[in-house]
Amino acid sequence: MEKIGIYPGSFDPVTLGHLDIIERSSKLFDKLIVAVLINSGKKALFSVEDRVKMIEDATKDIPNVEVTSFDGLFVDFAKKMNATTSVRGLRAVSDFEYELQMSQINRHMSSELDTIFLSTDIKYAYLSSSIVKEIASLKGDIKDFVPANVIPLIEDKYK
Ligand code: ADP
């Protein structure tokens, strides 16, 4: 049976830290689904469609990565996509408590769904989508933080 992993997140926008997790986890599965969360409660900089498109562009050289979006309960979506493993990145201990709780409640709701954590590459440990937006809004250089295709899209937002 095909082994399918799923990497959910807001990706507003996708960063090099996310891309590192995508590249590494794509090697662990036959197929990796990157799933952009449609969160109407959270004010996002980019539309869900733009986020899907920018992740597709950034991952076009990894053949077993598929990018999509979802709303509703993550465990239901994972089941619908036949994914057995959720992938999350851990930057620091501060991520851990929340991630552990999420993985435990998800496993309670769907006993077939396991979560694996990849520790972030140390060079991206301080990176988050929000810090990238903050730097871009102050006209700082973001080329070390996001995939090349994402740079003009962010710059356009803060023109
Ligand atoms: P969420 O809003 O669900 O936290 P994010 O898009 O911010 O979504 O993050 C999705 C996942 O990617 C989370 O598991 C998060 O810990 C991980 N992640 C975020 N930034 C990095 C990074 N710089 N390096 C590794 N993993 C990261």
Side-chain angles (χ1 to χ4, degrees):
M1 207 176 74
E2 201 186 22
K3 244 203 142 11
I4 303 174
I6 184 163
Y7 179 34
S10 312
F11 307 107
D12 182 43
V14 66
T15 68
L16 291 179
H18 294 130
L19 195 59
D20 174 60
I21 299 290
I22 294 171
E23 279 166 0
R24 287 159 58 200
S25 58
S26 69
K27 296 180 186 136
L28 305 176
F29 303 101
D30 298 310
K31 179 163 93 180
L32 178 74
I33 299 167
V34 180
V36 178
L37 171 67
I38 302 171
N39 184 348
S40 49
K42 216 160 136 184
K43 184 90 190 74
L45 180 64
F46 292 99
S47 70
V48 168
E49 295 72 31
D50 285 353
R51 283 180 264 163
V52 167
K53 176 81 172 56
M54 66 176 84
I55 303 169
E56 275 171 354
D57 287 348
T59 60
K60 63 180 186 316
D61 295 331
I62 319 173
N64 65 333
V65 169
E66 186 182 303
V67 189
T68 185
S69 60
F70 75 103
D71 58 9
L73 212 49
F74 172 64
V75 290
D76 291 341
F77 183 68
K79 199 176 280 177
K80 189 174 122 194
M81 302 306 279
N82 295 316
T84 52
T85 311
S86 162
V87 174
R88 298 289 286 176
L90 283 181
R91 284 163 291 189
V93 181
S94 49
D95 280 341
F96 182 73
E97 219 169 310
Y98 172 75
E99 293 293 343
L100 183 66
Q101 182 188 21
M102 286 307 293
S103 71
Q104 288 167 334
I105 198 140
N106 284 344
R107 237 182 89 70
H108 177 89
M109 290 187 287
S110 172
S111 57
E112 299 103 82
L113 185 71
D114 252 312
T115 302
I116 60 163
F117 300 105
L118 297 190
S119 56
T120 178
D121 190 310
I122 201 75
K123 56 180 189 289
Y124 305 127
Y126 51 82
L127 202 54
S128 68
S129 297
S130 20
I131 204 111
V132 169
K133 285 182 275 195
E134 189 162 342
I135 295 169
S137 74
L138 300 168
K139 309 279 183 279
D141 188 352
I142 53 168
K143 75 167 181 342
D144 289 341
F145 308 138
V146 295
N149 65 294
V150 175
I151 298 172
L153 304 174
I154 303 185
E155 286 177 350
D156 196 48
K157 293 280 183 192
Y158 293 108
K159 253 197 332 239

